[in-house]
């Protein structure tokens, strides 16, 4: 019995090992900077490009990634005019990759196109100027007298067009409909 116990102890000691390389670095899980009820203004070439307000904002060491909760923002063009304003419940931003993911109760208004966007998941790629949703995520678009809701949303900041790859429903109020409705009143 002593031999069996000694053999098991020897076998167990050889089969167990600690992999120090696989341990989690505490710097990866604890924010280096954490702000509450904050307002941040980003400048490029001495011009304001973005103003943000958030309930909380986190930045991690040696990372270009930030996270925000209950965010409101305004983006500006080179003439200091607001181009887009919006809000969301959560934001993931990777400033190195120039990718921004918005989640939960998203509201966006594009001033130049006078278009509202409402969604729960959107991703903005600044390099390609593409705004996309998940394949099955619903996006509602309101512009002029048009209201559309669909899935698989994709919009181009370059061509100023958008499309849905999934099902779409909506309403379009044409001048004929408005004239007819006015006559009935």
């Amino acid at each position: 019995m002593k031999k069996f116990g000694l053999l098991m102890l020897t076998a167990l000691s050889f089969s167990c090992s600690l992999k120090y390389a696989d341990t989690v670095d505490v710097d990866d899980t604890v924010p280096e900077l954490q702000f509450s009820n904050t307002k941040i203004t980003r400048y490029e070439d001495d011009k304001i490009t973005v103003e943000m307000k958030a309930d909380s904002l986190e930045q991690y060491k040696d990372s270009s990634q930030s996270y925000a909760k209950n965010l409101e923002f305004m983006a500006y063009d080179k003439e200091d005019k607001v181009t887009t304003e919006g809000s969301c419940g959560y934001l993931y931003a990777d400033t190195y990759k120039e990718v921004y993911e918005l989640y939960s109760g998203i509201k966006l208004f594009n001033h130049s196109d006078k278009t509202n966007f409402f969604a729960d998941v959107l991703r903005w790629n600044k390099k390609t100027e593409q705004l996309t949703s998940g394949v099955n995520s619903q996006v509602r678009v309101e512009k002029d007298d048009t209201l559309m809701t669909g899935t698989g949303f994709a919009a181009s900041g370059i061509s100023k067009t958008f499309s849905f790859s999934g099902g779409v429903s909506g309403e379009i109020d044409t001048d004929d409909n408005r004239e007819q409705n006015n006559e009935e009143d």
Side-chain angles (χ1 to χ4, degrees):
M1 187 67 165
K2 283 185 176 181
K3 287 183 182 180
F4 179 75
L6 185 59
L7 181 62
M8 284 300 287
L9 182 61
T10 305
L12 287 173
S13 67
F14 286 120
S15 65
C16 295
S17 67
L18 296 175
K19 293 184 178 183
Y20 291 102
D22 289 342
T23 60
V24 175
D25 186 356
V26 93
D27 289 340
D28 293 338
T29 59
V30 176
E32 180 179 33
L33 299 171
Q34 187 170 12
F35 302 97
S36 296
N37 298 320
T38 187
K39 180 181 178 184
I40 294 184
T41 304
R42 184 174 71 187
Y43 292 85
E44 291 177 18
D45 300 323
D46 295 326
K47 299 265 186 190
I48 295 175
T49 57
V50 176
E51 288 182 311
M52 299 180 286
K53 291 182 201 175
D55 286 353
S56 64
L57 180 70
E58 298 176 353
Q59 175 70 47
Y60 290 80
K61 186 176 181 178
D62 299 327
S63 173
S64 61
Q65 299 172 352
S66 300
Y67 300 86
K69 181 178 179 182
N70 296 328
L71 177 77
E72 295 177 13
F73 67 92
M74 289 192 295
Y76 295 85
D77 64 14
K78 293 177 182 177
E79 286 79 40
D80 297 324
K81 293 181 183 175
V82 176
T83 58
T84 304
E85 60 184 293
S87 63
C88 63
Y90 298 96
L91 170 77
Y92 159 77
D94 187 326
T95 54
Y96 177 74
K97 292 180 180 176
E98 298 185 297
V99 171
Y100 306 87
E101 296 177 5
L102 296 85
Y103 300 95
S104 185
I106 302 163
K107 298 176 186 175
L108 298 176
F109 179 69
N110 181 286
H111 284 262
S112 63
D113 295 332
K114 295 182 176 117
T115 305
N116 283 296
F117 300 91
F118 302 92
D120 280 321
V121 177
L122 287 175
R123 184 175 197 237
W124 171 250
N125 184 322
K126 187 176 177 184
K127 290 179 182 177
T128 62
E129 294 191 36
Q130 294 290 307
L131 181 67
T132 57
S133 73
V135 173
N136 295 316
S137 299
Q138 277 199 336
V139 175
R140 188 172 84 221
V141 179
E142 296 176 1
K143 180 177 177 153
D144 301 323
D145 296 324
T146 302
L147 167 68
M148 288 183 264
T149 302
T151 57
F153 175 79
S156 170
I158 296 169
S159 68
K160 305 287 188 198
T161 60
F162 64 88
S163 64
F164 294 96
S165 63
V168 179
S169 65
E171 298 175 17
I172 298 174
D173 188 8
T174 64
D175 288 336
D176 292 340
N177 288 343
R178 272 187 272 149
E179 287 175 16
Q180 184 178 11
N181 288 338
N182 288 337
E183 289 173 7
E184 291 173 5
D185 292 337

